[in-house]
Amino acid sequence: MSGSSYRQQGKVKLRVTILCAKNLTKKDFFRLPDAFARINIDGTAQVHTTETCKNTLDPKWNQYFDLYVSRNDSITVSVWNQKKIHKRAGAGFLGCIRIMSNALQRLKNTGYQRLDLCKKHPTDPDPIRGQVVVSIMSRDRGSSDRNAVIDSMGNLAYSMDPNELPEGYVLRSRPILPR
């Protein structure tokens, strides 16, 4: 989709970075999950998937995806266990976050946010715990690049230097290619 065509459709370009997950639920007694994250814009065909991190409750992905989002769209980030997704429908689900359109506006350009995972449906019997660290940055003109961490209640937890990431993380960037 070209830059002018998505703007004509009332969409903005957001860069969603999935940095990591923390303290995922261990659902197998003898094995740790092979975790990956799936990002989708609810109601559209936009779906992106991170790489799989093997045998860990604290996967580190540090991957970003450019999404085209309209004013009323919401984003769902779900975390899955690759070892279990082929067993039955819904198997391998480790939790999700759903960022509604009004929260997208509030959270974009605030840097890294630590968000609590929750169940797909309140009646699901499986326990869910853990957090996902994401960043939502506007890729349209006039956006700022500030970094902060926001807890699950939406409060500013602490600020970070724009070049400083949590210990063990490396900022990945792609070269900007001419259009």
Side-chain angles (χ1 to χ4, degrees), residues 53-113:
C53 292
K54 298 204 177 267
N55 299 315
T56 183
L57 297 175
D58 299 311
K60 297 176 184 177
W61 297 293
N62 197 14
Q63 290 182 262
Y64 66 84
F65 306 94
D66 288 337
L67 309 174
Y68 297 95
V69 181
S70 68
R71 185 174 189 81
N72 297 319
D73 286 341
S74 59
I75 296 175
T76 300
V77 178
S78 53
V79 180
W80 298 84
N81 180 358
Q82 181 69 41
K83 293 175 184 171
K84 297 287 185 177
I85 59 172
H86 304 292
K87 304 286 184 191
R88 60 178 166 78
F93 179 75
L94 297 173
C96 70
I97 59 170
R98 186 162 187 214
I99 305 170
M100 304 304 286
S101 58
N102 59 345
L104 270 175
Q105 297 306 313
R106 186 172 57 93
L107 296 176
K108 77 178 176 184
N109 298 327
T110 58
Y112 296 100
Q113 298 128 43

Side-chain angles (χ1 to χ4, degrees), residues 18-161:
I18 308 298
L19 189 64
C20 65
K22 297 275 187 192
N23 302 318
L24 296 176
T25 302
K26 183 178 178 186
K27 294 191 176 186
D28 283 344
F29 189 70
F30 293 107
R31 299 187 306 178
L32 295 174
D34 290 348
F36 70 94
R38 181 179 295 147
I39 302 111
N40 67 304
I41 306 300
D42 298 341
T44 73
Q46 291 184 74
V47 177
H48 302 277
T49 304
T50 65
E51 296 172 0
T52 300
C53 292
K54 298 204 177 267
N55 299 315
T56 183
L57 297 175
D58 299 311
K60 297 176 184 177
W61 297 293
N62 197 14
Q63 290 182 262
Y64 66 84
F65 306 94
D66 288 337
L67 309 174
Y68 297 95
V69 181
S70 68
R71 185 174 189 81
N72 297 319
D73 286 341
S74 59
I75 296 175
T76 300
V77 178
S78 53
V79 180
W80 298 84
N81 180 358
Q82 181 69 41
K83 293 175 184 171
K84 297 287 185 177
I85 59 172
H86 304 292
K87 304 286 184 191
R88 60 178 166 78
F93 179 75
L94 297 173
C96 70
I97 59 170
R98 186 162 187 214
I99 305 170
M100 304 304 286
S101 58
N102 59 345
L104 270 175
Q105 297 306 313
R106 186 172 57 93
L107 296 176
K108 77 178 176 184
N109 298 327
T110 58
Y112 296 100
Q113 298 128 43
R114 185 178 30 227
L115 303 170
D116 289 331
L117 292 170
C118 60
K119 299 177 179 186
K120 259 192 268 190
H121 305 287
T123 58
D124 289 345
D126 290 335
I128 300 293
R129 81 158 195 253
Q131 299 165 334
V132 173
V133 178
V134 299
S135 170
I136 303 167
M137 303 299 286
S138 174
R139 300 309 289 170
D140 285 334
R141 292 186 195 114
S143 67
S144 64
D145 288 342
R146 296 178 296 151
N147 279 324
V149 175
I150 296 177
D151 67 16
S152 60
M153 301 300 291
N155 300 317
L156 183 64
Y158 57 89
S159 296
M160 295 189 305
D161 181 282

